[in-house]
Amino acid sequence: MLPLLHVHHIAIICQDYAVSKRFYTDVLGLDIIREVYRAERASWKLDLALQGHYIIELFSFPAPPPRASRPEAAGLRHLAFAVTDLDVTVRELTTHGVISEPIRVDELTGRRFTFIADPDGLPLEFYEV
């Protein structure tokens, strides 16, 4: 058995660094751990934390190709965040101009959830726990 401990981080490549940085920090409320410009790659790397835990590496690269999100394509599907109150989460997202899909109920767990899209169309889920 592999000695896996936990997921270390999720890497996201964005098309517009300033827009995505604002979305992940101002809208989602993630904290900046480190921000580095790598001149040799013309690329930004932003390390983000959620409640003190390193979670996302946000990268910018010149002219990244688009990735299919809809219709659902093979590969990594989405990033999900646990929330305690989905109604409050949706209201807060709305104050930032973020539109969420209608709230649904997980037929296996009975828990409510919804999806939004980040500035590049990456599906993000909010799952009530």
Side-chain angles (χ1 to χ4, degrees), residues 18-32 46 48 92-93 95-96 98:
V19 169
S20 291
K21 177 183 175 182
R22 187 193 73 72
F23 175 81
Y24 282 95
T25 58
D26 294 349
V27 176
L28 295 188
L30 300 181
D31 297 315
I32 296 173
L46 182 65
L48 298 166
E92 182 65 21
L93 289 166
T95 66
H96 290 282
V98 177

Side-chain angles (χ1 to χ4, degrees), residues 86-87 103-106 110-114 126-128:
L86 194 57
D87 297 317
I103 293 174
R104 295 182 271 168
V105 176
D106 185 317
R111 303 286 184 157
R112 298 180 329 136
F113 66 96
T114 189
F126 297 93
Y127 194 90
E128 196 171 60

